[in-house]
Amino acid sequence: MTKKRNRTRPDLTLQERLNKFTQEARAAAKKLPAGAERHALLQKVRDGEAAAEMERLLSSPDQQTPK
């Protein structure tokens, strides 16, 4: 018999989770000295911001298929 999947919904929307991640990562990057680790963290921040923008554009009413 197969295991049942956990079908709970996240408390926050994707947009809210992406914004929270970018804010926390940016704050953590400010505490780090210049270097590879900080650069990698700032790259993740940029990726998160890009993902949030793409999600916003794709979920906008203008992008919905006509009925």
Side-chain angles (χ1 to χ4, degrees):
M1 204 152 126
T2 60
K3 200 175 194 182
K4 272 190 130 181
R5 282 182 58 194
N6 182 8
R7 301 227 178 221
T8 60
R9 291 192 180 255
D11 294 333
L12 302 174
T13 66
L14 176 59
Q15 188 73 32
E16 291 169 336
R17 286 179 287 160
L18 287 169
N19 288 337
K20 182 179 176 184
F21 167 75
T22 56
Q23 289 172 353
E24 291 173 356
R26 190 178 304 277
K30 284 184 180 180
K31 295 177 184 176
L32 294 174
E37 188 178 353
R38 181 179 183 187
H39 178 73
L41 196 53
L42 289 174
Q43 182 62 47
K44 287 183 181 182
V45 168
R46 287 188 292 271
D47 291 346
E49 289 171 343
E53 180 65 15
M54 282 188 273
E55 195 277 330
R56 186 186 66 76
L57 289 171
L58 291 173
S59 65
S60 71
D62 296 340
Q63 293 295 322
Q64 301 299 321
T65 57
K67 293 181 181 179

